[in-house]
């Protein structure tokens, strides 16, 4: 924090590997279909301080390689609406320094061969690469031998035993020698050649056994039967596995890694039915697919034996790129066409895979949905059930589970399983949403089964058609409350926004009406709609109090002020109508309406103060233009700052005072306004001051609808009292006025009283003109000639 007077507050920091952290800064609830578990995310709580001396050190041991992202926030932020520049607004900043150590020169072990290696140090690291399409690998460590002739250091128990023997046989040297020789021989035969073996995927192994991919339970010795073997099915692909060998001395041993491939396959025509661009409707193709499957051999449908985790077909989905960010789709591809329909057979799991890219896909939401063919509702009396499991980095374990719904659900990771069935129309669809998905290869497995009266039976249909809907999307789509309604990003109470910060960009929901959450579906603090309607009406209709000021300005022939007041009323009404939730309406862009509101409101006070100065019209026009330019520049520079109010008001108040001072000096007397002008002027000053206090110190987010509406009323009424009496009216008798320099100014409306021609026969001349003024000038008549 930047000031010692600021409060010390908790700072919450989230650290995430691969993607942006998923968190609820406002303590809102997540949507029910949103998956929030992360692979590697850490939460840190800090305490803010002014000039902190102690830094918080957070250690991440053996981190995953790649990009790491951090996000922090302050909870319970101050919702007081404070005018910028009025008082100090605390600023909180967060700095970080990353320091890391690494293990260099890690040797790689080739696949499908035996490598004879040596360990010189106490800890020795190796790695081996598992390529894409690997279904299983086996690691074997054997043939351990000590590389030095010297005997290993005995353990603590052996040391105690040796000391005891020496004390009991101190008078018999031969017994001592034999005992030591026998004991040392036993140490050599049973000493641990390799103390421990740890295996970890994608990162260096640590010593926390519960986090290890595999580890040795017993040490390896020089015995030929001492072998460590680790076999892993469905491993991480396109990744390195790391091995840690822990030994007390220099040893040599053999490492053998064998792999079994199950490559990514292309689709064949019998697996996914053609349905696009061949003159057939979607419904007819589905009927044909079910009919074709029903005429095939029924023997395959009776295979419900337990899977032995042989090579299961996994098909790579193709990305279809769209112009909009976070709007790509993934489709099944053959040589000639794309499709979303996939045919499943009972007891035969199938998998698909697709890849999410770093930076490109992590800022949106991954949506995975499956849909069961509607025609299967009436195809059989059985209940058709399809279970899907989603997993990142490696194929799901459901590909190797027994074909039973309970077993499959237990094998799938919690929160990433989908279930659809023909039990009802509402059960035909299921979707899971993954916000800020981590970049990697994602796998989805599908298993189909049939039930009758709750008992699993062979399926009456040979193939079960399902439709895949796998896509990236901006924000989180919210399901409609009523069936058949549109599915909108952020629902009916939010707007999806794309945020760009440097090279990072992501989408987020800006909720309205008090709704919160990732999809603006948390209504625990939502504002009732009738209050939102009242807020809209108060903030817009309260501008009607400018009407008295407009009428009064017109009656006093102050048309410039009337036009400005009318513009202020219209701009404020349109701006607050656009600024409201749910019941708002924007005539044009929000920034334009906001500029007009701030500009016109300040300009209304400016023209009122200029009218109070009562300067001649030739000065008024210049002052109006000067004020409009200064206010426009200030509002555009910082419309929420305090200077944009102070500078025009200071200049506007200074002009009437300067004119009054100048006239008093010129007339060498103090010009005193009449009592009635003071009576009308003081309420306007008090109302303006009350409105300023209300605007600057009382207004908060919660009472904004009331305090700001009161601000409109108070300011509009203050203009009625501040507006001076009567404009300059013409005087048919030719009156004159004093200008700001104190000189007499003859009115342009002075009329000639009469003109007499000397050559007329009347013989009587009338005065040429009359002069009248506020200084009581004498009227001089022309001399009358003698008759």
């Amino acid at each position: 924090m930047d000031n010692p007077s600021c409060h010390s507050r908790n700072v919450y920091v989230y650290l995430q590997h691969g993607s942006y952290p998923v968190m609820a800064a406002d303590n809102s609830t997540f949507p029910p279909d949103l998956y929030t578990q992360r692979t590697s995310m850490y939460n840190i709580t800090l305490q803010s301080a002014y000039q902190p001396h102690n830094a918080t050190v957070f250690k991440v041991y053996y981190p995953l390689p790649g990009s790491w992202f951090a996000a922090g926030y302050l909870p319970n932020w101050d919702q007081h609406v404070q005018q910028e520049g009025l008082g100090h607004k605390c600023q909180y900043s967060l700095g970080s320094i990353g320091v890391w150590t690494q293990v260099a020169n890690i040797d790689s072990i080739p696949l499908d061969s035996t490598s004879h290696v040596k360990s010189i140090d106490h800890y020795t690291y190796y790695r081996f690469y598992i390529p894409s399409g690997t279904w299983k690998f086996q690691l074997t460590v054997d043939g351990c031998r000590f590389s030095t002739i010297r005997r290993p250091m005995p353990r603590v128990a052996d040391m105690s035993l040796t000391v005891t023997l020496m004390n009991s046989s101190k008078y018999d040297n031969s017994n001592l020698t034999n005992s030591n020789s026998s004991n040392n021989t036993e140490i050599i035969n049973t000493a641990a050649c390799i103390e421990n073996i740890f295996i970890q995927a994608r990162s260096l192994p640590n010593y926390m056994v519960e986090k290890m991919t595999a580890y040795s339970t017993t040490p390896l010795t020089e015995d030929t039967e001492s072998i460590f073997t680790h076999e892993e099915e469905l491993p991480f692909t396109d990744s390195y596995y790391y091995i840690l060998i822990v030994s007390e001395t220099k040893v040599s041993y053999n490492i053998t890694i064998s792999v079994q491939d199950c490559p990514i396959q292309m689709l064949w025509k019998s697996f996914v039915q053609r349905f696009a661009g061949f003159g057939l409707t979607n419904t007819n193709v589905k009927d044909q697919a079910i009919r074709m499957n029903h005429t095939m051999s029924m023997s395959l449908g009776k295979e419900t034996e337990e899977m032995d985790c042989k090579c299961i077909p996994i098909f790579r989905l193709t990305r279809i790129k769209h112009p909009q960010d976070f709007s790509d789709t993934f489709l099944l591809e053959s040589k000639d066409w794309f499709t979303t329909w996939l045919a499943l057979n009972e007891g035969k799991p199938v998998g698909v895979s697709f890849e999410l890219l770093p930076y490109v896909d992590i800022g949106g939401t991954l949506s995975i949905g499956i849909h069961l063919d509607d025609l299967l509702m009436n195809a059989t009396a059985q209940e058709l059930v399809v279970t899907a499991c989603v997993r990142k980095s490696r194929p799901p374990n459901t590909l190797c589970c027994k074909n039973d719904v309970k077993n499959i659900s237990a094998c799938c990771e919690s929160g990433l399983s989908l279930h659809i069935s023909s039990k009802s129309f509402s059960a035909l669809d299921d979707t899971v949403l993954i916000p800020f998905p981590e970049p990697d290869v994602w796998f989805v497995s599908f298993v189909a089964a049939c039930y009758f009266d709750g008992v699993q039976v062979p399926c009456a249909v040979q193939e079960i058609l399902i439709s895949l809907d796998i896509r990236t999307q901006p924000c989180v789509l919210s399901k409609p409350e009523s069936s058949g309604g549109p599915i909108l990003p952020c629902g009916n109470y939010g707007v999806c926004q794309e945020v760009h910060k440097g090279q990072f960009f992501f989408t987020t929901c800006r909720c309205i009406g008090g709704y919160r959450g990732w999809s603006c579906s948390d209504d625990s603090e939502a504002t009732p709609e009738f209050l939102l309607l009242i807020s809209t009406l108060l903030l817009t209709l309260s501008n009607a109090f400018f009407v008295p000021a407009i009428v009064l300005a017109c009656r006093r022939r102050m048309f410039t002020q009337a036009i400005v007041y009318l513009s202020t009323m219209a701009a404020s009404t349109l701006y607050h109508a656009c600024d409201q939730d749910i019941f708002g309406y924007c005539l044009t862009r929000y920034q334009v309406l906001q500029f007009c509101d701030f500009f016109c409101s300040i300009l209304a006070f400016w023209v009122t103060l200029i009218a109070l100065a009562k300067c001649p019209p030739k000065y008024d026009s210049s002052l109006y233009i000067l004020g409009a330019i200064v206010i426009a520049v200030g509002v555009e520079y910082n419309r929420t700052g305090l200077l944009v109010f102070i500078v025009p008001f200071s200049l506007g108040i200074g002009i009437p005072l300067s004119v009054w001072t100048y006239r008093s000096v010129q007339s060498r007397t103090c010009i005193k306004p009449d009592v009635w002008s003071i009576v009308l002027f003081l309420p306007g000053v008090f109302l303006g001051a009350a409105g300023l206090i209300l605007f600057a110190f009382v207004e908060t987010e919660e009472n904004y609808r009331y305090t700001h509406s009161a601000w409109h009323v108070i300011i509009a009424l203050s203009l009625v009292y501040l507006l001076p009496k009567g404009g300059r009216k013409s005087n048919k008798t030719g009156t004159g006025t004093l200008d700001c320099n104190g000189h007499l100014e003859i009115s342009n409306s002075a009329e000639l009283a009469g003109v007499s021609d000397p050559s007329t026969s009347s013989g009587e001349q009338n005065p040429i003109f009359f002069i009248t003024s506020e200084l009581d000038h004498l009227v001089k008549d022309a001399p009358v000639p003698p008759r």
Side-chain angles (χ1 to χ4, degrees), residues 128-150:
F128 58 95
Y129 185 77
I130 299 297
S132 176
T134 302
W135 191 257
K136 180 191 301 184
F137 77 85
Q138 179 176 322
L139 169 67
T140 303
V141 181
D142 59 359
C144 184
R145 294 291 182 270
F146 290 102
S147 299
T148 58
I149 301 177
R150 68 178 181 86

PDB file of all heavy atoms in Angstrom, residues 128-150:
ATOM      1  N   PHE A 128      13.092 -40.695 -19.916  1.00  0.00           N
ATOM      2  CA  PHE A 128      12.770 -41.387 -21.165  1.00  0.00           C
ATOM      3  C   PHE A 128      11.480 -40.796 -21.715  1.00  0.00           C
ATOM      4  O   PHE A 128      10.600 -40.363 -20.959  1.00  0.00           O
ATOM      5  CB  PHE A 128      12.646 -42.901 -20.967  1.00  0.00           C
ATOM      6  CG  PHE A 128      11.623 -43.321 -19.960  1.00  0.00           C
ATOM      7  CD1 PHE A 128      10.324 -43.663 -20.343  1.00  0.00           C
ATOM      8  CD2 PHE A 128      11.947 -43.403 -18.614  1.00  0.00           C
ATOM      9  CE1 PHE A 128       9.382 -44.049 -19.406  1.00  0.00           C
ATOM     10  CE2 PHE A 128      11.000 -43.799 -17.674  1.00  0.00           C
ATOM     11  CZ  PHE A 128       9.718 -44.119 -18.077  1.00  0.00           C
ATOM     12  N   TYR A 129      11.376 -40.754 -23.017  1.00  0.00           N
ATOM     13  CA  TYR A 129      10.274 -40.070 -23.714  1.00  0.00           C
ATOM     14  C   TYR A 129       9.246 -41.080 -24.175  1.00  0.00           C
ATOM     15  O   TYR A 129       9.568 -42.098 -24.799  1.00  0.00           O
ATOM     16  CB  TYR A 129      10.815 -39.297 -24.918  1.00  0.00           C
ATOM     17  CG  TYR A 129       9.773 -38.464 -25.607  1.00  0.00           C
ATOM     18  CD1 TYR A 129       9.359 -37.252 -25.070  1.00  0.00           C
ATOM     19  CD2 TYR A 129       9.208 -38.888 -26.813  1.00  0.00           C
ATOM     20  CE1 TYR A 129       8.408 -36.473 -25.716  1.00  0.00           C
ATOM     21  CE2 TYR A 129       8.254 -38.116 -27.460  1.00  0.00           C
ATOM     22  CZ  TYR A 129       7.856 -36.912 -26.911  1.00  0.00           C
ATOM     23  OH  TYR A 129       6.913 -36.153 -27.538  1.00  0.00           O
ATOM     24  N   ILE A 130       7.968 -40.793 -23.831  1.00  0.00           N
ATOM     25  CA  ILE A 130       6.844 -41.625 -24.261  1.00  0.00           C
ATOM     26  C   ILE A 130       6.145 -40.904 -25.405  1.00  0.00           C
ATOM     27  O   ILE A 130       5.524 -39.861 -25.192  1.00  0.00           O
ATOM     28  CB  ILE A 130       5.868 -41.896 -23.104  1.00  0.00           C
ATOM     29  CG1 ILE A 130       6.575 -42.637 -21.981  1.00  0.00           C
ATOM     30  CG2 ILE A 130       4.663 -42.679 -23.588  1.00  0.00           C
ATOM     31  CD1 ILE A 130       7.094 -44.009 -22.375  1.00  0.00           C
ATOM     32  N   PRO A 131       6.219 -41.429 -26.621  1.00  0.00           N
ATOM     33  CA  PRO A 131       5.613 -40.724 -27.754  1.00  0.00           C
ATOM     34  C   PRO A 131       4.107 -40.922 -27.799  1.00  0.00           C
ATOM     35  O   PRO A 131       3.523 -41.717 -27.051  1.00  0.00           O
ATOM     36  CB  PRO A 131       6.290 -41.369 -28.966  1.00  0.00           C
ATOM     37  CG  PRO A 131       6.623 -42.749 -28.501  1.00  0.00           C
ATOM     38  CD  PRO A 131       6.934 -42.643 -27.034  1.00  0.00           C
ATOM     39  N   SER A 132       3.477 -40.164 -28.687  1.00  0.00           N
ATOM     40  CA  SER A 132       2.036 -40.270 -28.871  1.00  0.00           C
ATOM     41  C   SER A 132       1.691 -41.641 -29.433  1.00  0.00           C
ATOM     42  O   SER A 132       2.422 -42.195 -30.263  1.00  0.00           O
ATOM     43  CB  SER A 132       1.550 -39.169 -29.819  1.00  0.00           C
ATOM     44  OG  SER A 132       0.179 -39.301 -30.090  1.00  0.00           O
ATOM     45  N   GLY A 133       0.575 -42.183 -28.988  1.00  0.00           N
ATOM     46  CA  GLY A 133       0.137 -43.493 -29.438  1.00  0.00           C
ATOM     47  C   GLY A 133       0.652 -44.650 -28.611  1.00  0.00           C
ATOM     48  O   GLY A 133       0.384 -45.808 -28.945  1.00  0.00           O
ATOM     49  N   THR A 134       1.374 -44.368 -27.526  1.00  0.00           N
ATOM     50  CA  THR A 134       1.860 -45.436 -26.648  1.00  0.00           C
ATOM     51  C   THR A 134       0.741 -45.873 -25.713  1.00  0.00           C
ATOM     52  O   THR A 134       0.128 -45.046 -25.030  1.00  0.00           O
ATOM     53  CB  THR A 134       3.071 -44.956 -25.842  1.00  0.00           C
ATOM     54  OG1 THR A 134       4.101 -44.543 -26.740  1.00  0.00           O
ATOM     55  CG2 THR A 134       3.587 -46.066 -24.949  1.00  0.00           C
ATOM     56  N   TRP A 135       0.472 -47.163 -25.684  1.00  0.00           N
ATOM     57  CA  TRP A 135      -0.613 -47.695 -24.865  1.00  0.00           C
ATOM     58  C   TRP A 135      -0.121 -48.213 -23.520  1.00  0.00           C
ATOM     59  O   TRP A 135      -0.833 -48.157 -22.522  1.00  0.00           O
ATOM     60  CB  TRP A 135      -1.320 -48.825 -25.620  1.00  0.00           C
ATOM     61  CG  TRP A 135      -2.602 -49.265 -24.986  1.00  0.00           C
ATOM     62  CD1 TRP A 135      -2.816 -50.393 -24.237  1.00  0.00           C
ATOM     63  CD2 TRP A 135      -3.840 -48.579 -25.038  1.00  0.00           C
ATOM     64  NE1 TRP A 135      -4.112 -50.455 -23.826  1.00  0.00           N
ATOM     65  CE2 TRP A 135      -4.781 -49.349 -24.309  1.00  0.00           C
ATOM     66  CE3 TRP A 135      -4.265 -47.399 -25.631  1.00  0.00           C
ATOM     67  CZ2 TRP A 135      -6.099 -48.966 -24.151  1.00  0.00           C
ATOM     68  CZ3 TRP A 135      -5.580 -47.017 -25.485  1.00  0.00           C
ATOM     69  CH2 TRP A 135      -6.484 -47.794 -24.753  1.00  0.00           C
ATOM     70  N   LYS A 136       1.127 -48.693 -23.485  1.00  0.00           N
ATOM     71  CA  LYS A 136       1.653 -49.287 -22.258  1.00  0.00           C
ATOM     72  C   LYS A 136       3.169 -49.252 -22.329  1.00  0.00           C
ATOM     73  O   LYS A 136       3.754 -49.352 -23.408  1.00  0.00           O
ATOM     74  CB  LYS A 136       1.157 -50.727 -22.109  1.00  0.00           C
ATOM     75  CG  LYS A 136       1.649 -51.445 -20.854  1.00  0.00           C
ATOM     76  CD  LYS A 136       1.338 -52.929 -20.940  1.00  0.00           C
ATOM     77  CE  LYS A 136      -0.153 -53.203 -21.094  1.00  0.00           C
ATOM     78  NZ  LYS A 136      -0.444 -54.662 -21.074  1.00  0.00           N
ATOM     79  N   PHE A 137       3.811 -49.094 -21.175  1.00  0.00           N
ATOM     80  CA  PHE A 137       5.267 -49.226 -21.124  1.00  0.00           C
ATOM     81  C   PHE A 137       5.634 -49.960 -19.847  1.00  0.00           C
ATOM     82  O   PHE A 137       4.884 -49.972 -18.856  1.00  0.00           O
ATOM     83  CB  PHE A 137       5.969 -47.867 -21.210  1.00  0.00           C
ATOM     84  CG  PHE A 137       5.944 -47.065 -19.928  1.00  0.00           C
ATOM     85  CD1 PHE A 137       6.892 -47.257 -18.931  1.00  0.00           C
ATOM     86  CD2 PHE A 137       4.964 -46.102 -19.718  1.00  0.00           C
ATOM     87  CE1 PHE A 137       6.858 -46.517 -17.764  1.00  0.00           C
ATOM     88  CE2 PHE A 137       4.929 -45.358 -18.550  1.00  0.00           C
ATOM     89  CZ  PHE A 137       5.877 -45.560 -17.573  1.00  0.00           C
ATOM     90  N   GLN A 138       6.815 -50.575 -19.882  1.00  0.00           N
ATOM     91  CA  GLN A 138       7.335 -51.321 -18.735  1.00  0.00           C
ATOM     92  C   GLN A 138       8.778 -50.902 -18.490  1.00  0.00           C
ATOM     93  O   GLN A 138       9.597 -50.914 -19.403  1.00  0.00           O
ATOM     94  CB  GLN A 138       7.245 -52.823 -18.980  1.00  0.00           C
ATOM     95  CG  GLN A 138       7.797 -53.659 -17.813  1.00  0.00           C
ATOM     96  CD  GLN A 138       7.594 -55.146 -18.042  1.00  0.00           C
ATOM     97  OE1 GLN A 138       6.567 -55.568 -18.577  1.00  0.00           O
ATOM     98  NE2 GLN A 138       8.577 -55.947 -17.651  1.00  0.00           N
ATOM     99  N   LEU A 139       9.062 -50.551 -17.240  1.00  0.00           N
ATOM    100  CA  LEU A 139      10.404 -50.143 -16.818  1.00  0.00           C
ATOM    101  C   LEU A 139      10.980 -51.229 -15.916  1.00  0.00           C
ATOM    102  O   LEU A 139      10.325 -51.655 -14.957  1.00  0.00           O
ATOM    103  CB  LEU A 139      10.349 -48.803 -16.082  1.00  0.00           C
ATOM    104  CG  LEU A 139      11.614 -48.361 -15.358  1.00  0.00           C
ATOM    105  CD1 LEU A 139      12.733 -48.061 -16.350  1.00  0.00           C
ATOM    106  CD2 LEU A 139      11.340 -47.151 -14.477  1.00  0.00           C
ATOM    107  N   THR A 140      12.206 -51.643 -16.212  1.00  0.00           N
ATOM    108  CA  THR A 140      12.880 -52.676 -15.430  1.00  0.00           C
ATOM    109  C   THR A 140      14.270 -52.202 -15.061  1.00  0.00           C
ATOM    110  O   THR A 140      15.020 -51.722 -15.920  1.00  0.00           O
ATOM    111  CB  THR A 140      12.977 -53.997 -16.215  1.00  0.00           C
ATOM    112  OG1 THR A 140      11.665 -54.413 -16.606  1.00  0.00           O
ATOM    113  CG2 THR A 140      13.624 -55.081 -15.366  1.00  0.00           C
ATOM    114  N   VAL A 141      14.594 -52.303 -13.772  1.00  0.00           N
ATOM    115  CA  VAL A 141      15.932 -51.993 -13.255  1.00  0.00           C
ATOM    116  C   VAL A 141      16.465 -53.248 -12.580  1.00  0.00           C
ATOM    117  O   VAL A 141      15.849 -53.752 -11.618  1.00  0.00           O
ATOM    118  CB  VAL A 141      15.903 -50.808 -12.268  1.00  0.00           C
ATOM    119  CG1 VAL A 141      17.301 -50.499 -11.760  1.00  0.00           C
ATOM    120  CG2 VAL A 141      15.292 -49.571 -12.919  1.00  0.00           C
ATOM    121  N   ASP A 142      17.601 -53.772 -13.063  1.00  0.00           N
ATOM    122  CA  ASP A 142      18.180 -54.996 -12.498  1.00  0.00           C
ATOM    123  C   ASP A 142      19.688 -54.965 -12.709  1.00  0.00           C
ATOM    124  O   ASP A 142      20.251 -54.013 -13.250  1.00  0.00           O
ATOM    125  CB  ASP A 142      17.555 -56.233 -13.130  1.00  0.00           C
ATOM    126  CG  ASP A 142      17.739 -56.276 -14.638  1.00  0.00           C
ATOM    127  OD1 ASP A 142      18.342 -55.320 -15.182  1.00  0.00           O
ATOM    128  OD2 ASP A 142      17.295 -57.235 -15.293  1.00  0.00           O
ATOM    129  N   GLY A 143      20.337 -56.064 -12.244  1.00  0.00           N
ATOM    130  CA  GLY A 143      21.783 -56.211 -12.431  1.00  0.00           C
ATOM    131  C   GLY A 143      22.596 -55.164 -11.718  1.00  0.00           C
ATOM    132  O   GLY A 143      23.626 -54.711 -12.258  1.00  0.00           O
ATOM    133  N   CYS A 144      22.190 -54.796 -10.538  1.00  0.00           N
ATOM    134  CA  CYS A 144      22.929 -53.764  -9.813  1.00  0.00           C
ATOM    135  C   CYS A 144      24.235 -54.341  -9.257  1.00  0.00           C
ATOM    136  O   CYS A 144      24.247 -55.435  -8.676  1.00  0.00           O
ATOM    137  CB  CYS A 144      22.064 -53.207  -8.687  1.00  0.00           C
ATOM    138  SG  CYS A 144      22.833 -51.840  -7.795  1.00  0.00           S
ATOM    139  N   ARG A 145      25.335 -53.596  -9.434  1.00  0.00           N
ATOM    140  CA  ARG A 145      26.649 -53.997  -8.950  1.00  0.00           C
ATOM    141  C   ARG A 145      27.370 -52.767  -8.387  1.00  0.00           C
ATOM    142  O   ARG A 145      27.237 -51.666  -8.899  1.00  0.00           O
ATOM    143  CB  ARG A 145      27.503 -54.592 -10.079  1.00  0.00           C
ATOM    144  CG  ARG A 145      26.977 -55.900 -10.634  1.00  0.00           C
ATOM    145  CD  ARG A 145      27.108 -57.035  -9.604  1.00  0.00           C
ATOM    146  NE  ARG A 145      26.651 -58.299 -10.154  1.00  0.00           N
ATOM    147  CZ  ARG A 145      25.409 -58.749 -10.088  1.00  0.00           C
ATOM    148  NH1 ARG A 145      24.478 -57.996  -9.491  1.00  0.00           N
ATOM    149  NH2 ARG A 145      25.081 -59.905 -10.603  1.00  0.00           N
ATOM    150  N   PHE A 146      28.164 -53.017  -7.310  1.00  0.00           N
ATOM    151  CA  PHE A 146      29.002 -51.953  -6.776  1.00  0.00           C
ATOM    152  C   PHE A 146      30.170 -51.715  -7.718  1.00  0.00           C
ATOM    153  O   PHE A 146      30.803 -52.665  -8.180  1.00  0.00           O
ATOM    154  CB  PHE A 146      29.520 -52.324  -5.378  1.00  0.00           C
ATOM    155  CG  PHE A 146      28.435 -52.323  -4.337  1.00  0.00           C
ATOM    156  CD1 PHE A 146      27.888 -53.519  -3.893  1.00  0.00           C
ATOM    157  CD2 PHE A 146      27.978 -51.130  -3.817  1.00  0.00           C
ATOM    158  CE1 PHE A 146      26.898 -53.518  -2.932  1.00  0.00           C
ATOM    159  CE2 PHE A 146      26.990 -51.133  -2.846  1.00  0.00           C
ATOM    160  CZ  PHE A 146      26.441 -52.330  -2.407  1.00  0.00           C
ATOM    161  N   SER A 147      30.457 -50.452  -7.994  1.00  0.00           N
ATOM    162  CA  SER A 147      31.521 -50.123  -8.939  1.00  0.00           C
ATOM    163  C   SER A 147      32.882 -50.044  -8.275  1.00  0.00           C
ATOM    164  O   SER A 147      33.901 -49.966  -8.952  1.00  0.00           O
ATOM    165  CB  SER A 147      31.215 -48.782  -9.618  1.00  0.00           C
ATOM    166  OG  SER A 147      30.004 -48.870 -10.329  1.00  0.00           O
ATOM    167  N   THR A 148      32.990 -50.061  -6.947  1.00  0.00           N
ATOM    168  CA  THR A 148      34.259 -49.979  -6.217  1.00  0.00           C
ATOM    169  C   THR A 148      34.474 -51.244  -5.433  1.00  0.00           C
ATOM    170  O   THR A 148      33.541 -51.959  -5.049  1.00  0.00           O
ATOM    171  CB  THR A 148      34.244 -48.767  -5.264  1.00  0.00           C
ATOM    172  OG1 THR A 148      33.138 -48.894  -4.375  1.00  0.00           O
ATOM    173  CG2 THR A 148      34.134 -47.470  -6.054  1.00  0.00           C
ATOM    174  N   ILE A 149      35.781 -51.547  -5.128  1.00  0.00           N
ATOM    175  CA  ILE A 149      36.128 -52.755  -4.374  1.00  0.00           C
ATOM    176  C   ILE A 149      35.900 -52.558  -2.897  1.00  0.00           C
ATOM    177  O   ILE A 149      35.592 -53.502  -2.164  1.00  0.00           O
ATOM    178  CB  ILE A 149      37.600 -53.127  -4.635  1.00  0.00           C
ATOM    179  CG1 ILE A 149      37.815 -53.360  -6.135  1.00  0.00           C
ATOM    180  CG2 ILE A 149      38.028 -54.340  -3.834  1.00  0.00           C
ATOM    181  CD1 ILE A 149      39.261 -53.657  -6.492  1.00  0.00           C
ATOM    182  N   ARG A 150      35.972 -51.300  -2.452  1.00  0.00           N
ATOM    183  CA  ARG A 150      35.826 -51.048  -1.020  1.00  0.00           C
ATOM    184  C   ARG A 150      34.442 -51.441  -0.559  1.00  0.00           C
ATOM    185  O   ARG A 150      33.474 -51.338  -1.281  1.00  0.00           O
ATOM    186  CB  ARG A 150      36.101 -49.585  -0.694  1.00  0.00           C
ATOM    187  CG  ARG A 150      35.054 -48.632  -1.232  1.00  0.00           C
ATOM    188  CD  ARG A 150      35.369 -47.208  -0.812  1.00  0.00           C
ATOM    189  NE  ARG A 150      34.356 -46.288  -1.303  1.00  0.00           N
ATOM    190  CZ  ARG A 150      33.233 -46.024  -0.679  1.00  0.00           C
ATOM    191  NH1 ARG A 150      32.947 -46.630   0.460  1.00  0.00           N
ATOM    192  NH2 ARG A 150      32.374 -45.158  -1.185  1.00  0.00           N
TER     193      ARG A 150
END
